[in-house]
């Protein structure tokens, strides 16, 4: 709950407000919590945020990495492979940034994942990362015991925040 709440609070860091849906999964891909902000359309965004988080669990990396690996450069065979992977997994994979993997920093094991949808993809990823960073501190967890994939955001549409 703390990670989802912190993610929702991070929306306030965006230059342009965008209501989002946040999904937090355990290490097996089970939903721990899913929250939709007022104004975020029901249905699709819940599925998108879930698919972003599931992508992380299934592939052991971020949904951005999945996108970059298979769609960057417009290589038709790689794009076909990405499309086939999404199809085989019945939509549980999505090559769109906004899914963040959470790992144990000591042994590399997967702890869970966060998926966010409703803003631009880079903003979704920032919101998820910020949710992990702030949410774990509110749970009195040592953030140094966790690592995220990606480790940092590349969002350029923040309101005076790094």
């Amino acid at each position: 709950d703390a990670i989802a709440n912190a993610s929702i609070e991070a929306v306030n860091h965006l230059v342009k407000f965008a209501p989002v849906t946040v999904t937090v999964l355990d290490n097996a891909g089970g939903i721990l919590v899913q929250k939709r902000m007022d104004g975020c359309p029901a249905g699709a965004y819940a599925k998108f945020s879930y698919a972003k988080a599931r992508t992380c669990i299934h592939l052991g990396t971020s949904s951005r990495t999945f996108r970059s690996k298979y769609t960057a450069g417009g290589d038709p065979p790689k794009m076909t492979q990405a499309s086939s992977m999404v199809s085989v997994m019945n939509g549980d994979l999505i090559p769109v940034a906004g899914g963040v993997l959470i790992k144990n920093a000591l042994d590399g094991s997967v702890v869970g994942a966060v998926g966010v949808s409703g803003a631009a993809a880079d903003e979704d990823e920032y919101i998820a990362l910020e949710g992990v960073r702030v949410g774990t501190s509110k749970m009195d967890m040592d953030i140094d015991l966790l690592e995220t994939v990606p480790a940092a955001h590349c969002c350029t549409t923040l309101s005076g925040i790094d």
Side-chain angles (χ1 to χ4, degrees):
D1 222 28
I3 291 173
N5 290 338
S7 294
I8 288 169
E9 282 296 315
V11 169
N12 294 316
H13 301 166
L14 304 179
V15 169
K16 183 179 177 193
F17 179 83
V20 299
T21 297
V22 180
T23 304
V24 180
L25 304 181
D26 64 19
N27 65 350
I31 297 175
L32 294 173
V33 65
Q34 186 173 66
K35 292 190 173 190
R36 180 177 56 87
M37 296 175 67
D38 289 343
C40 184
Y45 291 100
K47 290 180 181 179
F48 296 157
S49 68
Y50 174 77
K52 289 177 181 186
R54 285 292 290 193
T55 297
C56 299
I57 298 295
H58 285 310
L59 302 180
T61 192
S62 71
S63 59
R64 173 184 298 278
T65 300
F66 176 48
R67 180 193 73 187
S68 297
K69 183 175 181 178
Y70 292 99
T71 66
D75 182 17
K78 283 188 173 187
M79 292 183 81
T80 299
Q81 184 175 357
S83 179
S84 297
M85 291 168 74
V86 170
S87 177
V88 165
M89 294 304 295
N90 295 316
D92 269 5
L93 298 179
I94 187 169
V96 179
V100 172
L101 185 68
I102 307 168
K103 296 170 62 176
N104 180 313
L106 300 176
D107 65 11
S109 62
V110 173
V111 174
V114 181
V116 175
S117 189
D122 286 350
E123 294 171 339
D124 289 343
E125 184 177 78
Y126 165 78
I127 291 165
L129 283 165
E130 191 68 0
V132 174
R133 187 183 71 77
V134 173
T136 54
S137 70
K138 288 184 178 182
M139 293 185 291
D140 291 325
M141 290 182 65
D142 185 353
I143 188 66
D144 293 331
L145 296 178
L146 300 176
E147 60 185 34
T148 58
V149 178
H153 71 86
C154 60
C155 185
T156 60
T157 55
L158 300 177
S159 183
I161 307 284
D162 286 333

